[in-house]
Amino acid sequence: MKRSGSRNCLNRRSRFGSRERDWLREDVKRGCVYLYGADTSTATTTTTSSASSASSSSSDLHLVLCTVETPASEICAGEGRESLYLQLHGDLVRYKCKNVLRRLEPTERPLQIVYEYLSRLGYDDPVRIQEEATNPDLGCMLRFYGEKPCQMDHLDRILLSGIYNVRKGKTQLHKWAERLVVLCGTCLIVSSVKDCQTGKMHILPLVGGKVEEVKRRQYSLAFSSAGAQAQTYHVSFETLAEYQRWQRQASKVVSQRISTVDLSCYSLEEVPEHLFYSQDITYLNLRHNFMQLERPGGLDTLYKFSQLKGLNLSHNKLGLFPVLLCEISTLTELNLSCNGFHDLPSQIGNLLNLQTLCLDGNFLNTLPEELGNLQQLSSLGISFNNFSQIPEVYEKLTMLDKVVMAGNRLEVLNLGLLNRMSHIKHVDLRMNHLKTVVIENLEGNKYITHMDLRDNQLTDLDLSSLCSLEQLHCERNQLRELTLSGFSLRTLYASSNRLTAVNVYPVPSLLTSLELSRNLLECVPDWACEAKKIEILDVSYNLLTEVPMRILSSLSLRKLMVGHNHVQNLPMLVEHIPLEVLDIQHNLLTRLPDTLFSKALNLRYLNASANSLESLPSACAGEESLSALQLLYLTNNLLTDQCVPVLVGHPHLRILHLANNQLQTFPASKLNKLEQLEELNLSGNKLKTIPTTIANCKRLHTLVAHSNNISIFPEILQLPQIQFVDLSCNDLTEILIPEALPAALQDLDLTGNTNLVLEHKTLDTFRLCVSSLAVDNFAEGVGAVYGMFDGDRNEELPRLLQCTMADVLLEEVQQSTNDTIFMANTFLVSHRKLGMAGQKLGSSALLCYIRPDTADPTSSFSLTVANVGTCQAVLCRGGKPMPLSKVFSLEQDSEEAQRVKDQKAIITEDNKVNGVTCCTRMLGCTYLYPWILPKPHISSTTLTIQDELLILGNKALWEHLSYTDAVSAVRHVQDPLAAAKKLCTLAQSYGCQDNVGAIVVYLNIGEEGCTCEMNGLSLPGPVGFASTTTIKDPLKPTTPSSSSGIASEFSSEMSTSEVSSEVGSTASDEHNTVGLDAGLLPRPERRCSLHPTPNSGVFQRQPSCATFSSNQSDNGLDSDDDQPVEGVITNGSKVEVEVDIHCCRGRENSPTLAERSPAPCPEEHGRGLFWGIRRQNSVNSGILLPASKDKMELQKSPSTSCLYGKKLSNGSIVPLEESLNLIEVATEAPKKKTGYFAAPTQLEPEDQFVVPRDLEEEVKEQMKQHQESRPEPEPNEEDRTELPEEFDTAL
């Protein structure tokens, strides 16, 4: 070990030894940096944890021990290097696989850079920072090189050179001679080998020329210039690889119409020397480099390009404006954004030909007066700087028609200043700090036509002086009143404010689009009713009580959005109207106008969900209906069978949602006439059958009918286009799947059918970008973990997080008892473990951890929730929602938006960081550091007896369901699987067209933290709480009793895909909670792991992957209700779901529920098969392994995962990747101590064992003996029905 005073360096070490670790422990300011060699082909293999161990011993990677004070110069001296290079974000910048490395200054301190990087990510503990810095996996986010790595394909794009045989001219008069040939920029350079620097050079411009193969000579190319005096050079290469490299690069050059050279993202400090021979270059792109000033090919030499018109130097971290650029008088376009400039030199006024100047993302607060000399300047971008007012130089720049100053620091909008700028028509001041608008005089402005004031702090806005205003954006302010001029107004966007009044005078005769959603309006403005050309009106999420007749009968209105108001009725239509889209969901409607369908003949979309409709108006009379209705959403109403005949009057219906109504039958003759039907959702009704005439709906691709009483499998597998079928949570008992399945069938969901006997079939699976995690027996039975991960457009990261995050949490819990610390570290470590996948992709993440309270672990439980991104968790406490997470998005978190702006990110008009994501904190997306961080929001709460259930949902769910709506929708649903499905169904019917996921966890927290009902109270709120019988001896606390369901779906317009599962214990839809309503059947007593019951059976857990599972059993049990899904629901890859199989022995009868399933003999062994289909690319397809008949009872599996996908409304199908399926059969499972979980479970009332008559006496005797050994129930439980015992699953 080499030591140098307080600065210590150890060279050429590839791993830590005990001596090195002891040295690090002495001081937290000590650490190490990993130094990579120049061979990037081997270095890049170290970016994933799986390869880190192999790469750590390779010759290109070694560690250097140092302190935070050790400069780069000392490390270079010890390593024998000239410089060190720093590479952020691994190997990727954006989506280009180009290395971007920065040369470290001699005085920079590498270890300090690492420590600051980790600190900004979110690490707080110096010891933990030191530990993380020693992890070689950090190389996927930050790494150091001793030499500048350059891959061959990158060098080819910059410069190709070599010594080859060359012949000039097209004829054979010239002889072949050995020459040095260089292809750089837009030219081919041929020179003598000996005098290549001083001798004569032949420069051949290639833009617009030709590159052709020389057929008479192997591996030869003919390079020709353009024009009448074109010259040709023949070059002969030695190998095919060289020939192809030169042909590929030269072909790009000759195909250009203008001389453009793109050298972006190459870590250049200067341009190649040979590039200066390309004097015809007109556009040069040097974005994302580290260009220097005083170098042979530095910025100070760019004036040599005599024809240069466009120059892009954005993201070069220049710091100072390169003054010599002002001497390139030919420039017409200059991009200098994101370079850290604090001021501009006065010489910039010399660029008289400049037309476009981009200075976004700097620290400018003033502009020099000399900028006014640029009279040809037509575009000036100064967004995301530090301006506090509009620069006065705008008055001189008369060619400008836009003021683009988004993301600055303006607090006052001075309309008087804009009045003096008659040339300005567009003003973009979004994301400033505007609070007031100042009018210097009454003089009106006749020039401004477009104004964007989004995301400011305005409370009142009066722009009536802008008489030529055509379009106004003022969303997401705090406006109470808005006043505008209507002379020229065409479009107005004012959603997400607090508006109670909108004044427009005169009536806007040109207005076509008006958006006033999410305000406090009590009525539609009168002037809007009089607008003659209005086509789109959105007044949803307001306080409206009526819809004016003038609006509904408008002859121009085509789209009307009045959802989420208090409208009780709609006016009767007298005349025909051109309305095409009508959204009236979430109102108080009991009926629709009788003439709605007969007068609105163009109506093709109607959403009347979440009202109190009891009937539907008839369609137009006559033999042939004129109705054009195609999409009809009527979910969550009071519709009965009488509404079905009305639907026949809409023969063009493609999508029909009737979920959560009161349908008992669907007449076969009526369904027979809906021949155009493509998607049918009948979930949450009381249907017993699906009509056989559904076979006539030849275009049907999606059938969703979960949570009914269907006992007969419908004849749908004969439909040629059927893709997704969801018949879960019904009463199906038998299904015969034909040998030849429909080719389009992707998913068949039959979970939650407790008596189902199924003949196995392999099915392909659909995929989502939402992953879920549910672990009911975590950390050796002392906790439970639930999570949700939403990758938006990618499926890879959610899958990785689902597979790794629980294990990371388990490790962190063992290191710290502080919930804030171990939760934060879990997210940060998971961020690192994403490796290369996390460089360009990102994911929202939500993690909920239930564990015994550290203050009093024997009496209470605490819930810790951490999240990044847009996934949220809501706790139902006393029937009211209690949000536990924070939404990290630019629109909903002003503090985060300000942080991102301060760090000079460019936020595009759709409110996305660098146009990528609206989230400000995510796991992954390391290339967007420091704007996007993985540090989570963390909250903890002690669970109480009032806590009923926990809901986890992704962004799509909460955008369409409020916290209150979600809680009220599932609070009285007994089955958590059905509850989760219901949430997704509601979101789809309410307009969701994205991936939607939900997890519902039912809680039962008793007194002193015990979840047993022997100590706790019977909660009157949620139904379906599971419980067990009482016992004598309490043991150590584990997880609170809970049951949960998981459901994920894609797209709302059609049911594209769903994953559903029940975790822990679930109850059937047939029985309810005690105290909820008089006369309801009592629910079983719930037991927790604090007070387990005596073992009369064995629980064992078998992990497997499943996307479609059922059970064949003589006693009616299946594998669908107790354990969590630990799987990935993805859109673009395979689906892997953890399935737990429990084997147990029943104990006693439940006479109260005997009508569902008679009490069996407990000695009768369950006989059945569990068929799980696993979609995996690495396994063989079609393998069937029948399970042996187990001696133990096979209880319902707590995990079920079923996906149903659906085609989009336009008929397109999300493409599915071919994959192989594996059917696995689970029997007895080995115990596993870590990584999985087992939950307290119990049999459902319908899952009673059938007792043969010849064994009844023996059973009664055993039950009598068992009853005598149990304590007497408490007085308040005298009415409780005894149900089968619940056992804690052994790990």
Side-chain angles (χ1 to χ4, degrees):
M1 183 180 294
K2 295 183 180 180
R3 300 177 183 269
S4 176
S6 62
R7 300 173 182 175
N8 304 282
C9 294
L10 177 67
N11 299 324
R12 293 296 175 188
R13 301 287 300 186
S14 60
R15 61 183 177 86
F16 276 109
S18 59
R19 184 181 180 188
E20 289 76 33
R21 295 189 182 278
D22 292 340
W23 180 77
L24 290 181
R25 292 192 186 101
E26 294 177 3
D27 189 352
V28 294
K29 293 185 178 181
R30 296 176 179 178
C32 76
V33 294
Y34 285 91
L35 199 59
Y36 291 78
D39 185 3
T40 59
S41 62
T42 57
T44 54
T45 62
T46 65
T47 56
T48 58
S49 58
S50 60
S52 60
S53 59
S55 62
S56 61
S57 58
S58 61
S59 59
D60 72 300
L61 171 65
H62 63 279
L63 60 88
V64 177
L65 295 183
C66 55
T67 70
V68 293
E69 301 297 331
T70 305
S73 59
E74 183 173 338
I75 296 179
C76 289
E79 292 292 307
R81 308 284 187 179
E82 294 183 0
S83 302
L84 290 184
Y85 293 87
L86 170 64
Q87 180 186 38
L88 291 178
H89 327 311
D91 303 315
L92 300 172
V93 171
R94 184 74 177 172
Y95 298 104
K96 295 185 177 181
C97 297
K98 302 179 183 180
N99 292 321
V100 177
L101 296 96
R102 178 175 67 87
R103 186 197 303 268
L104 293 182
E105 297 295 332
T107 56
E108 289 189 88
R109 296 168 292 177
L111 186 60
Q112 181 67 24
I113 294 175
V114 176
Y115 282 9
E116 289 178 355
Y117 182 90
L118 293 173
S119 179
R120 296 184 73 175
L121 283 183
Y123 289 103
D124 297 324
D125 183 15
V127 177
R128 185 57 188 263
I129 291 177
Q130 183 188 55
E131 177 185 344
E132 285 295 314
T134 62
N135 196 314
D137 290 348
L138 193 64
C140 66
M141 296 184 287
L142 176 147
R143 62 174 61 176
F144 296 94
Y145 286 92
E147 299 178 30
K148 185 176 181 180
C150 242
Q151 296 181 356
M152 184 61 68
D153 58 338
H154 297 167
L155 291 174
D156 291 351
R157 298 173 189 173
I158 300 175
L159 182 144
L160 285 174
S161 65
I163 299 176
Y164 306 105
N165 287 324
V166 178
R167 192 190 71 192
K168 183 179 180 181
K170 296 182 180 181
T171 64
Q172 298 184 4
L173 299 177
H174 298 84
K175 296 182 178 180
W176 291 89
E178 194 175 66
R179 295 287 185 267
L180 174 64
V181 184
V182 177
L183 177 60
C184 184
T186 60
C187 296
L188 184 73
I189 305 171
V190 181
S191 62
S192 170
V193 176
K194 295 182 179 180
D195 304 324
C196 60
Q197 298 295 331
T198 59
K200 182 178 180 181
M201 291 186 179
H202 300 270
I203 301 175
L204 184 69
L206 293 179
V207 175
K210 296 180 181 179
V211 176
E212 300 174 316
E213 177 185 3
V214 179
K215 298 182 179 180
R216 296 184 179 181
R217 189 179 183 96
Q218 190 178 28
Y219 307 145
S220 297
L221 291 174
F223 299 87
S224 302
S225 60
Q229 305 295 325
Q231 293 183 329
T232 301
Y233 283 88
H234 293 72
V235 181
S236 177
F237 303 96
E238 296 180 358
T239 64
L240 176 62
E242 287 183 315
Y243 167 84
Q244 292 175 339
R245 287 167 52 200
W246 282 74
Q247 184 187 41
R248 181 170 55 250
Q249 188 63 25
S251 298
K252 294 179 182 179
V253 178
V254 299
S255 63
Q256 298 179 17
R257 294 185 177 180
I258 56 176
S259 300
T260 302
V261 175
D262 185 0
L263 296 178
S264 60
C265 305
Y266 284 117
S267 303
L268 297 177
E269 296 179 354
E270 57 182 332
V271 297
E273 179 184 0
H274 290 84
L275 189 65
F276 290 101
Y277 292 103
S278 302
Q279 285 298 305
D280 60 338
I281 293 180
T282 55
Y283 290 91
L284 178 60
N285 186 0
L286 294 172
R287 182 179 61 91
H288 268 298
N289 284 290
F290 300 98
M291 296 296 296
Q292 304 294 317
L293 295 176
E294 299 176 355
R295 280 181 170 270
L299 295 177
D300 289 347
T301 61
L302 295 183
Y303 68 91
K304 296 180 181 179
F305 294 105
S306 58
Q307 300 182 34
L308 191 62
K309 293 183 178 180
L311 177 61
N312 189 343
L313 285 171
S314 62
H315 296 87
N316 269 271
K317 302 184 184 299
L318 298 177
L320 296 175
F321 191 99
V323 179
L324 289 181
L325 291 181
C326 301
E327 297 183 7
I328 310 178
S329 58
T330 56
L331 278 179
T332 61
E333 180 180 338
L334 179 60
N335 190 338
L336 293 169
S337 60
C338 301
N339 275 293
F341 297 151
H342 286 80
D343 51 49
L344 298 180
S346 59
Q347 291 89 334
I348 197 171
N350 298 334
L351 300 175
L352 299 179
N353 293 317
L354 202 61
Q355 300 176 12
T356 301
L357 176 60
C358 185
L359 297 168
D360 300 331
N362 287 288
F363 297 92
L364 302 173
N365 51 32
T366 59
L367 294 178
E369 295 182 3
E370 289 78 5
L371 194 65
N373 298 335
L374 310 183
Q375 290 301 304
Q376 296 189 37
L377 192 66
S378 58
S379 176
L380 174 61
I382 53 175
S383 297
F384 300 99
N385 279 277
N386 296 340
F387 292 96
S388 58
Q389 61 182 2
I390 300 176
E392 296 183 358
V393 73
Y394 269 97
E395 296 185 41
K396 300 180 181 180
L397 301 172
T398 56
M399 291 295 293
L400 287 178
D401 63 349
K402 296 180 181 179
V403 173
V404 184
M405 296 185 63
N408 279 277
R409 299 180 178 180
L410 277 72
E411 296 184 359
V412 178
L413 174 57
N414 190 340
L415 293 181
L417 179 60
L418 293 176
N419 289 341
R420 297 195 295 268
M421 305 177 186
S422 59
H423 50 284
I424 298 298
K425 296 181 179 180
H426 296 247
V427 179
D428 181 1
L429 297 177
R430 59 189 176 88
M431 302 191 74
N432 275 271
H433 301 160
L434 291 175
K435 298 178 181 179
T436 58
V437 177
V438 176
I439 303 177
E440 295 180 350
N441 50 58
L442 298 178
E443 181 182 358
N445 187 305
K446 301 180 181 180
Y447 314 106
I448 295 179
T449 60
H450 294 72
M451 179 83 74
D452 193 341
L453 301 175
R454 284 176 288 178
D455 299 288
N456 280 283
Q457 303 170 24
L458 296 168
T459 55
D460 293 285
L461 183 59
D462 185 350
L463 298 179
S464 57
S465 62
L466 305 183
C467 55
S468 297
L469 188 65
E470 298 178 5
Q471 176 176 296
L472 173 64
H473 279 278
C474 56
E475 302 99 305
R476 293 179 296 278
N477 279 273
Q478 302 173 21
L479 294 175
R480 296 187 298 266
E481 187 172 356
L482 176 62
T483 304
L484 301 173
S485 170
F487 285 109
S488 304
L489 191 63
R490 296 176 182 270
T491 54
L492 172 59
Y493 304 94
S495 61
S496 302
N497 283 285
R498 302 173 184 174
L499 289 171
T500 57
V502 180
N503 305 311
V504 178
Y505 182 83
V507 173
S509 59
L510 301 177
L511 184 69
T512 59
S513 179
L514 176 60
E515 182 176 329
L516 298 172
S517 62
R518 300 183 186 274
N519 282 286
L520 303 176
L521 297 174
E522 297 182 357
C523 62
V524 179
D526 289 338
W527 54 265
C529 302
E530 299 176 7
K532 301 300 183 182
K533 294 186 178 181
I534 187 168
E535 297 181 1
I536 300 174
L537 174 60
D538 187 353
V539 286
S540 55
Y541 293 94
N542 276 282
L543 305 176
L544 304 182
T545 57
E546 63 178 0
V547 178
M549 179 64 181
R550 290 180 296 173
I551 284 293
L552 197 58
S553 60
S554 171
L555 298 180
S556 61
L557 191 64
R558 284 173 170 75
K559 181 176 182 181
L560 176 60
M561 313 290 287
V562 202
H564 297 271
N565 281 281
H566 306 300
V567 179
Q568 297 183 5
N569 57 72
L570 295 177
M572 191 68 63
L573 293 176
V574 179
E575 301 292 337
H576 290 279
I577 59 174
L579 194 66
E580 298 177 5
V581 175
L582 176 59
D583 189 334
I584 50 175
Q585 60 174 300
H586 285 86
N587 279 284
L588 305 176
L589 297 172
T590 57
R591 58 177 298 175
L592 296 175
D594 294 337
T595 57
L596 176 63
F597 295 130
S598 60
K599 298 300 182 182
L601 297 179
N602 293 333
L603 190 66
R604 56 181 177 83
Y605 174 97
L606 173 61
N607 193 332
S609 300
N611 280 282
S612 300
L613 299 178
E614 299 179 357
S615 61
L616 297 177
S618 60
C620 48
E623 296 183 358
E624 183 177 354
S625 174
L626 300 178
S627 172
L629 193 63
Q630 299 181 24
L631 292 83
L632 179 58
Y633 296 89
L634 297 170
T635 295
N636 204 11
N637 278 285
L638 303 176
L639 297 174
T640 62
D641 302 350
Q642 297 178 356
C643 76
V644 177
V646 179
L647 300 175
V648 178
H650 307 287
H652 302 292
L653 269 182
R654 296 190 297 108
I655 298 176
L656 176 60
H657 280 221
L658 288 170
N660 297 104
N661 280 282
Q662 299 178 7
L663 301 179
Q664 295 184 356
T665 60
F666 201 110
S669 60
K670 308 304 179 185
L671 184 60
N672 186 37
K673 297 181 179 180
L674 299 178
E675 298 178 352
Q676 304 296 321
L677 209 58
E678 298 177 7
E679 176 181 336
L680 178 61
N681 192 326
L682 299 172
S683 305
N685 284 285
K686 301 177 182 179
L687 298 175
K688 295 183 179 180
T689 60
I690 299 293
T692 57
T693 53
I694 196 173
N696 294 329
C697 301
K698 301 299 183 182
R699 298 186 180 184
L700 191 71
H701 58 71
T702 299
L703 173 63
V704 184
H706 64 77
S707 306
N708 279 283
N709 301 322
I710 299 173
S711 57
I712 301 176
F713 189 79
E715 299 179 6
I716 54 172
L717 298 184
Q718 307 301 327
L719 296 175
Q721 299 184 26
I722 192 68
Q723 298 178 39
F724 308 104
V725 180
D726 184 1
L727 292 171
S728 58
C729 301
N730 278 288
D731 297 331
L732 294 176
T733 56
E734 186 174 0
I735 170 177
L736 297 178
I737 300 181
E739 291 296 329
L741 291 174
L745 184 61
Q746 298 298 319
D747 189 78
L748 176 61
D749 188 349
L750 301 174
T751 57
N753 289 278
T754 56
N755 299 312
L756 181 63
V757 177
L758 177 67
E759 289 188 359
H760 63 274
K761 281 292 175 183
T762 60
L763 297 178
D764 210 351
T765 56
F766 198 78
R767 302 153 297 181
L768 283 176
C769 298
V770 181
S771 297
S772 57
L773 172 69
V775 184
D776 271 0
N777 202 339
F778 182 73
E780 300 184 354
V782 296
V785 174
Y786 304 97
M788 180 164 288
F789 316 106
D790 187 353
D792 193 18
R793 299 297 180 184
N794 80 89
E795 54 77 27
E796 183 176 358
L797 254 60
R799 177 171 57 87
L800 292 175
L801 292 171
Q802 184 276 333
C803 295
T804 61
M805 209 160 186
D807 293 334
V808 174
L809 176 61
L810 184 60
E811 296 175 0
E812 295 299 330
V813 168
Q814 295 170 353
Q815 296 185 30
S816 174
T817 59
N818 187 300
D819 52 5
T820 302
I821 294 177
F822 67 68
M823 269 297 196
N825 289 342
T826 296
F827 275 68
L828 297 176
V829 172
S830 299
H831 176 74
R832 167 172 55 80
K833 285 181 174 291
L834 292 176
M836 290 184 65
Q839 293 175 357
K840 65 178 181 178
L841 303 176
S843 174
S844 297
L846 169 65
L847 206 59
C848 301
Y849 179 32
I850 302 176
R851 62 168 182 157
D853 198 319
T854 54
D856 190 1
T858 62
S859 64
S860 61
F861 289 89
S862 65
L863 170 62
T864 303
V865 177
N867 80 290
V868 293
T870 54
C871 292
Q872 301 179 64
V874 175
L875 179 67
C876 175
R877 172 166 290 179
K880 297 182 179 180
M882 179 179 173
L884 301 175
S885 42
K886 181 179 180 181
V887 180
F888 288 101
S889 70
L890 292 170
E891 294 183 357
Q892 301 186 44
D893 192 332
S894 57
E895 293 182 0
E896 282 292 291
Q898 187 60 44
R899 177 185 66 81
V900 173
K901 287 197 301 180
D902 291 343
Q903 292 168 344
K904 300 307 172 185
I906 302 299
I907 301 175
T908 52
E909 291 190 4
D910 54 354
N911 265 357
K912 291 185 177 181
V913 180
N914 279 23
V916 178
T917 176
C918 64
C919 296
T920 58
R921 299 198 186 185
M922 300 175 69
L923 297 185
C925 278
T926 57
Y927 77 96
L928 291 177
Y929 170 89
W931 309 309
I932 306 298
L933 298 177
K935 186 177 182 179
H937 169 268
I938 302 172
S939 65
S940 295
T941 183
T942 300
L943 295 177
T944 69
I945 191 174
Q946 294 181 321
D947 296 328
E948 304 171 6
L949 55 90
L950 178 67
I951 302 176
L952 286 70
N954 68 334
K955 177 183 178 182
L957 181 74
W958 299 118
E959 280 184 343
H960 295 87
L961 281 176
S962 67
Y963 301 143
T964 303
D965 289 343
V967 167
S968 61
V970 300
R971 191 175 174 223
H972 301 307
V973 178
Q974 297 167 308
D975 188 348
L977 167 60
K981 282 178 170 290
K982 183 177 181 180
L983 290 177
C984 292
T985 297
L986 291 177
Q988 287 186 321
S989 294
Y990 295 164
C992 177
Q993 298 183 7
D994 203 351
N995 296 342
V996 56
I999 299 178
V1000 176
V1001 183
Y1002 282 0
L1003 304 171
N1004 189 23
I1005 307 300
E1007 293 178 350
E1008 297 181 352
C1010 175
T1011 60
C1012 299
E1013 298 199 344
M1014 56 180 289
N1015 295 326
L1017 299 177
S1018 297
L1019 299 179
V1023 298
F1025 284 173
S1027 63
T1028 59
T1029 54
T1030 58
I1031 53 97
K1032 295 180 179 179
D1033 302 323
L1035 300 178
K1036 77 172 188 175
T1038 58
T1039 178
S1041 295
S1042 65
S1043 58
S1044 67
I1046 303 175
S1048 297
E1049 301 181 8
F1050 177 80
S1051 178
S1052 72
E1053 216 172 298
M1054 282 167 280
S1055 200
T1056 305
S1057 142
E1058 172 182 347
V1059 167
S1060 54
S1061 132
E1062 302 174 51
V1063 185
S1065 304
T1066 60
S1068 73
D1069 291 335
E1070 303 299 322
H1071 67 283
N1072 297 317
T1073 304
V1074 172
L1076 185 61
D1077 288 303
L1080 293 180
L1081 295 176
R1083 64 182 170 90
E1085 181 188 36
R1086 181 171 203 117
R1087 300 307 302 278
C1088 72
S1089 301
L1090 289 170
H1091 306 98
T1093 54
N1095 288 334
S1096 62
V1098 179
F1099 280 84
Q1100 291 183 329
R1101 181 180 185 285
Q1102 169 93 11
S1104 66
C1105 291
T1107 56
F1108 158 48
S1109 63
S1110 183
N1111 184 46
Q1112 229 173 28
S1113 175
D1114 293 340
N1115 58 14
L1117 303 182
D1118 73 9
S1119 54
D1120 297 330
D1121 77 322
D1122 287 311
Q1123 284 290 340
V1125 164
E1126 192 174 336
V1128 180
I1129 307 98
T1130 57
N1131 187 8
S1133 182
K1134 62 187 176 185
V1135 175
E1136 297 185 356
V1137 181
E1138 276 286 299
V1139 176
D1140 298 337
I1141 311 301
H1142 291 272
C1143 298
C1144 68
R1145 177 177 285 178
R1147 232 177 59 135
E1148 53 190 318
N1149 305 343
S1150 178
T1152 312
L1153 301 174
E1155 68 273 13
R1156 281 289 300 223
S1157 179
C1161 171
E1163 269 97 358
E1164 184 183 5
H1165 302 310
R1167 295 178 294 277
L1169 297 177
F1170 168 77
W1171 304 109
I1173 295 176
R1174 179 177 185 174
R1175 176 183 179 138
Q1176 195 164 12
N1177 294 331
S1178 59
V1179 296
N1180 294 328
S1181 174
I1183 300 177
L1184 178 62
L1185 303 175
S1188 62
K1189 296 180 180 179
D1190 196 357
K1191 295 182 180 180
M1192 306 304 298
E1193 298 290 345
L1194 184 60
Q1195 183 175 332
K1196 294 176 64 181
S1197 169
S1199 295
T1200 62
S1201 168
C1202 293
L1203 304 174
Y1204 69 85
K1206 63 182 185 180
K1207 176 170 84 167
L1208 301 181
S1209 60
N1210 58 7
S1212 63
I1213 305 292
V1214 180
L1216 298 175
E1217 184 181 89
E1218 290 297 328
S1219 182
L1220 303 179
N1221 299 319
L1222 173 66
I1223 301 183
E1224 296 183 342
V1225 179
T1227 57
E1228 280 196 8
K1231 298 179 181 179
K1232 186 157 186 159
K1233 294 185 177 181
T1234 59
Y1236 302 102
F1237 13 119
T1241 59
Q1242 77 284 328
L1243 294 175
E1244 291 198 355
E1246 65 268 32
D1247 294 337
Q1248 305 299 316
F1249 298 101
V1250 179
V1251 182
R1253 294 184 177 180
D1254 57 334
L1255 297 178
E1256 286 183 358
E1257 295 298 326
E1258 183 178 351
V1259 172
K1260 292 180 179 179
E1261 182 64 24
Q1262 291 185 3
M1263 292 174 61
K1264 182 178 180 181
Q1265 295 176 2
H1266 194 72
Q1267 275 290 53
E1268 293 174 355
S1269 64
R1270 295 180 56 197
E1272 293 295 327
E1274 296 182 9
N1276 62 346
E1277 299 178 0
E1278 60 185 5
D1279 295 332
R1280 183 165 294 139
T1281 303
E1282 295 292 343
L1283 286 177
E1285 168 188 81
E1286 174 185 348
F1287 301 96
D1288 285 337
T1289 306
L1291 284 176

